[in-house]
């Protein structure tokens, strides 16, 4: 090769490299992501999403709004969208996906979904919930199981108590823990936490069919029924085993009580496992996970997902689509869910790095979807339109907080609340 040929080759290589760099830079965008993952385990999981986007060259603008269950985040999101300043992506799930899509503010993800075969990789019922008029508008990150009971085995040992599998056994164990000066049940008195307990009681006491009719279909005859009376009475009895500082407590502080052995149990979705793990605790040894009493044959699911808001800047649009693609990649589904306490929503993933709680969750997810006892969580926005959900949650929390409200009154209020549009 002559010197001039070499120079020309060197120059063109340099030009190609420069061209590639410009192309990469031109594609690098910013994603502002609204979420409510601020507890120890949640933040570790959110950091994985941030790292994934940064590895693609994009800038991550964190828009974290503290508050378990996401009520505060949703209020902030509404005001941002109304003022014409929507974030690139937001944690939106369940029927709210449809509500936002109807407003015409969400971006379409069909290209990413098609290129990455989402229809083949997601359970159909879940994929349907992520679509609006047949088009993907949300990308799922996980499946959380909500009907869990978290147990501190050391506390149970001290109290000589047996891990409960029915509500009757639950109260026997709670009594023993109380006698041993251990708070039987760690609770945070916030309306989504009250409802997380309530729906576990409804599922355990009433069974899957009752749960579906009363809380998913909002059937008046089931909301006011002898079974609902039993559910409300049991629910109120649970309150008797919480401590006086429960009102207003954040869920992760309730989990911390179980981690430290100050409390024996907590009814909470498996984001609680993220807290145990972040605190260095070992499943099966320092803590155990069992289905909430009476619900081992059922599964209350909660799928976290992100919707994208329509943006104008092409680089930011590209970053958004990259976010959607990254979320469903097997690498992300693994690392995110190992931290979050949930299981991958993507089917056929290898779970060898996951613990037994996750493996049980994955097996039960499949078996309950076959048996018809896979049910959406109302507490976590998976089942009913947001207005009715808010109203029934309020009724349940008022009943929890005010012993003067009778079960009959609460049932009438539930029937009325279910009609909220
Ligand atoms: C979300 C979880 C979150 C939990 C507590 C749930 O509604 O789905 O991702 O960890 O709230 O904040």
């Amino acid at each position: 090769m002559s010197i001039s040929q070499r120079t020309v080759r060197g120059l063109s290589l340099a030009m190609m490299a420069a061209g590639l760099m410009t192309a990469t830079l031109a594609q690098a965008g910013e994603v502002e992501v609204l979420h409510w993952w601020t507890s120890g385990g949640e933040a570790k999981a959110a950091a994985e999403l941030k790292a994934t986007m940064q590895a693609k060259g994009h800038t991550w603008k964190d828009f974290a709004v503290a508050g378990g269950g996401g009520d505060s985040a949703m209020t902030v999101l509404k005001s941002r969208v109304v003022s014409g300043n929507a974030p690139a992506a937001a944690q939106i799930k369940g029927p709210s996906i449809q509500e936002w899509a109807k407003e015409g503010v969400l971006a379409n993800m069909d290209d990413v979904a098609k290129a990455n075969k989402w229809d083949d990789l997601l359970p159909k019922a879940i994929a349907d919930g992520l679509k609006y008029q047949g088009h993907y508008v949300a990308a799922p990150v996980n499946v959380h199981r909500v009907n869990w009971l978290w147990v501190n085995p050391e506390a149970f040992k001290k109290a000589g108590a047996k891990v409960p599998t029915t509500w009757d056994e639950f109260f026997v164990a709670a009594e023993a823990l109380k006698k041993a000066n251990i708070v039987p049940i760690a609770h945070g008195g916030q309306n989504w936490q009250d409802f997380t307990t309530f729906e576990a009681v409804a599922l355990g006491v009433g069974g899957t069919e009752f749960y579906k009719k009363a809380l998913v279909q909002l059937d008046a005859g089931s909301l006011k029924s002898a079974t609902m009376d039993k559910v409300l009475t049991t629910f109120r009895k649970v309150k008797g085993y919480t401590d006086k500082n429960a009102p207003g407590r954040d869920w992760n502080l309730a989990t911390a009580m179980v981690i430290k052995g100050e409390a024996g149990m907590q009814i909470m979705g498996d984001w609680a496992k993220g807290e145990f793990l972040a605190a260095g605790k070992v499943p099966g040894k320092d803590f155990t996970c069992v289905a909430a009493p009476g619900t081992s044959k059922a599964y209350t699911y909660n799928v976290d997902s992100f919707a994208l808001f329509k943006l104008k800047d092409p680089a930011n649009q590209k970053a958004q689509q990259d976010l959607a693609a990254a979320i469903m990649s097997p690498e992300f589904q693994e690392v995110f869910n190992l931290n979050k306490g949930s299981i991958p929503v993507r089917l056929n993933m290898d779970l060898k790095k996951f613990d037994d709680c996750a493996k049980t969750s994955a097996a039960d997810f499949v078996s309950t979807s076959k048996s018809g006892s896979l049910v959406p969580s109302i507490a976590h926005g998976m089942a009913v339109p947001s207005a009715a959900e808010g109203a029934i949650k309020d009724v349940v929390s008022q009943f929890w907080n005010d012993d003067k409200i009778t079960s009959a009154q609460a049932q009438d209020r539930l029937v009325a609340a279910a009609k909220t549009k």
Side-chain angles (χ1 to χ4, degrees):
M1 203 191 283
S2 69
I3 295 188
S4 59
Q5 270 176 325
R6 244 181 266 154
T7 319
V8 170
R9 199 166 160 237
L11 265 177
S12 51
L13 278 177
M15 280 162 68
M16 266 172 63
L20 271 178
M21 265 180 70
T22 338
T24 319
L25 284 180
Q27 285 174 354
E30 180 188 270
V31 273
E32 186 185 24
V33 183
L34 175 114
H35 61 92
W36 63 89
W37 292 330
T38 56
S39 75
E42 290 177 334
K44 280 182 85 176
E48 294 295 345
L49 188 52
K50 177 179 172 177
T52 303
M53 288 308 283
Q54 286 174 334
K56 289 182 186 285
H58 298 302
T59 308
W60 171 273
K61 196 168 169 201
D62 202 43
F63 185 5
V65 180
D71 292 341
S72 311
M74 289 304 102
T75 308
V76 175
L77 177 64
K78 274 181 204 140
S79 69
R80 279 283 299 266
V81 178
V82 167
S83 63
N85 184 23
Q91 199 183 336
I92 297 177
K93 49 188 172 133
S96 291
I97 295 173
Q98 312 300 318
E99 293 171 17
W100 279 105
K102 226 179 261 164
E103 299 291 322
V105 289
L106 298 188
N108 185 305
M109 298 181 188
D110 281 346
D111 288 348
V112 169
K114 209 164 171 208
N116 295 288
K117 304 198 167 58
W118 288 9
D119 274 343
D120 301 334
L121 294 171
L122 291 171
K124 185 169 181 313
I126 290 181
D128 287 347
L130 303 165
K131 291 179 188 170
Y132 178 66
Q133 295 179 341
H135 302 287
Y136 275 102
V137 290
V141 290
N142 62 4
V143 180
H144 270 303
R145 186 183 199 168
V146 185
N147 58 318
W148 284 118
L149 180 74
W150 303 94
V151 168
N152 181 315
E154 195 54 41
F156 266 65
K157 210 170 140 202
K158 251 190 230 160
K162 175 179 159 285
V163 176
T165 58
T166 64
W167 283 102
D168 285 342
E169 287 176 14
F170 173 89
F171 292 114
V172 173
E175 216 27 70
L177 288 159
K178 195 173 165 186
K179 284 212 180 86
N181 278 327
I182 297 166
V183 177
I185 185 99
H187 184 71
Q190 296 174 349
N191 104 347
W192 70 273
Q193 292 188 64
D194 298 343
F195 210 93
T196 298
T197 299
F198 177 75
E199 68 183 25
V201 175
L203 189 61
V205 170
T208 310
E209 288 317 309
F210 169 78
Y211 181 100
K212 287 189 197 163
K213 274 198 108 175
L215 299 178
V216 180
Q217 294 153 26
L218 301 178
D219 165 60
S222 310
L223 287 169
K224 191 169 171 60
S225 62
T227 309
M228 185 55 91
D229 178 57
K230 208 168 160 210
V231 169
L232 285 164
T233 314
T234 308
F235 176 60
R236 180 163 272 163
K237 199 168 163 197
V238 174
K239 189 189 163 192
Y241 293 97
T242 61
D243 66 323
K244 66 172 188 342
N245 296 324
R249 177 189 285 135
D250 287 331
W251 68 271
N252 52 319
L253 300 181
T255 308
M257 292 168 66
V258 183
I259 291 177
K260 290 185 219 144
E262 291 167 15
M265 308 179 267
Q266 181 184 22
I267 296 165
M268 189 49 67
D270 41 23
W271 46 93
K273 193 183 78 187
E275 293 307 293
F276 283 102
L277 299 179
K281 301 295 172 192
V282 179
K285 176 176 163 273
D286 303 320
F287 69 96
T288 51
C289 56
V290 290
T295 72
S296 65
K297 298 262 176 320
Y299 190 118
T300 327
Y301 69 88
N302 169 27
V303 174
D304 284 313
S305 50
F306 282 92
L308 308 178
F309 282 85
K310 284 181 183 159
L311 297 180
K312 293 211 175 71
D313 182 282
N316 293 348
Q317 285 176 351
K318 170 76 173 56
Q320 278 184 315
Q321 298 294 328
D322 281 357
L323 176 79
I327 280 174
M328 271 288 287
S329 71
E331 300 78 25
F332 175 78
Q333 292 268 323
E334 179 178 273
V335 71
F336 177 85
N337 287 301
L338 282 171
N339 284 291
K340 190 70 177 64
S342 36
I343 55 168
V345 63
R346 190 184 159 116
L347 295 170
N348 305 324
M349 289 257 318
D350 185 345
L351 295 181
K352 68 173 177 300
K353 290 198 187 147
F354 286 79
D355 57 40
D356 287 347
C357 299
K359 285 181 183 139
T360 302
S361 174
D364 290 355
F365 184 72
V366 174
S367 66
T368 56
S369 70
K370 287 186 189 138
S371 67
S373 45
L374 178 65
V375 292
S377 163
I378 290 88
H380 296 281
M382 296 307 297
V384 287
S386 54
E389 180 196 311
I392 61 172
K393 275 181 175 168
D394 285 348
V395 172
V396 164
S397 283
Q398 283 157 7
F399 177 76
W400 175 268
N401 288 317
D402 182 352
D403 289 347
K404 289 198 287 298
I405 300 174
T406 64
S407 158
Q409 283 168 330
Q411 291 173 55
D412 289 336
R413 291 182 194 181
L414 280 175
V415 172
K419 294 185 186 130
T420 312
K421 289 249 161 31

